[in-house]
């Protein structure tokens, strides 16, 4: 499918899900996950008016950020290595994957405002990054102490292989915790489950495959 059609189809699915949920699609940020995609592919989406893009590796993102127009909002959605957090904070206004104190400390050194999500390891998967539910309050309190890294809300990547019902209950839990913190933003939902995430309160959905086609 040409990128125009898949993009507008995703846009339409967002409209439909929002209408069903009684929400306004203008409150939703669609982040086009452009990891592994070329500058040309990103430019064609840009020419359709799209401005929010998500990348997961600094080295891959730098040439794209350098080559593409400056009014793009770049979202970092990958593993946040502490030793790269300062550089990442200096080029990505949004970082979705804070889960360690050292990442915050390093990002602060960039001395530039960062919109921050805390990544929550909602299913307590051993090999997965993210803060456990147990440590979430403490980590959240720590993040609130920073000067440049501004807490926006929670982010989660549902476990691969979870059933739709399980995923829904994880999304609900993230929504409940976000409300409890008095936060407004929720980064959840990917190509396979963004409609459900929208039903459950997501404000930032991260969609790659459904827009660009499958990755090799
Ligand atoms: C790759 C990726 C996505 C997009 O996944 P799709 O299934 O292609 O939509 C979303 N979030 C994160 C954190 C990712 O790494």
């Amino acid at each position: 499918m040409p990128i125009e059609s898949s993009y507008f189809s995703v846009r339409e699915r967002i409209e439909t899900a929002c209408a069903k949920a009684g929400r306004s699609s203008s409150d939703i940020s669609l982040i086009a996950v452009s990891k592994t995609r070329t500058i040309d592919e990103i430019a064609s989406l840009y020419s359709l008016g799209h401005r929010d893009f998500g990348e997961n590796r600094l080295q891959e993102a730098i040439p794209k950020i350098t080559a593409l127009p400056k009014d793009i909002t770049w979202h970092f959605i990958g593993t946040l290595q502490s030793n790269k957090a300062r550089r990442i904070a200096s080029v990505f206004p949004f970082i979705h994957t804070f889960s360690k104190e050292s990442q915050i400390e390093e990002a602060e050194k960039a001395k530039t405002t960062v919109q921050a999500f805390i990544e929550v390891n909602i299913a307590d998967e051993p090999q997965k990054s993210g803060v456990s539910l147990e440590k979430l309050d403490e980590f959240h309190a720590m993040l609130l102490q920073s000067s440049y890294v501004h807490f926006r809300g929670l982010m989660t990547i549902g476990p691969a292989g979870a059933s739709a019902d399980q995923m829904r209950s994880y999304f609900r839990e993230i929504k409940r915790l976000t409300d409890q913190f008095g936060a407004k933003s929720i980064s959840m939902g990917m190509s396979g489950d963004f409609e459900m995430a929208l039903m459950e309160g997501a404000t930032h959905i991260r969609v790659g495959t459904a827009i660009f086609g499958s990755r090799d």
Side-chain angles (χ1 to χ4, degrees), residues 11 57 62 73 81 90 110 138 194 196 210:
R11 281 279 177 211
R57 291 177 57 237
I62 293 280
T73 301
Q81 287 170 263
S90 69
E138 190 188 343
F194 70 82
M196 184 197 282

Side-chain angles (χ1 to χ4, degrees), residues 33 35 56 77-78 155 157 189-192 206-210 215:
V33 176
K35 63 187 184 196
N56 68 340
I77 61 167
M155 176 272 203
I157 306 170
M190 315 193 341
S191 291
R206 310 177 309 266
V207 180
T209 314
R215 288 179 292 275

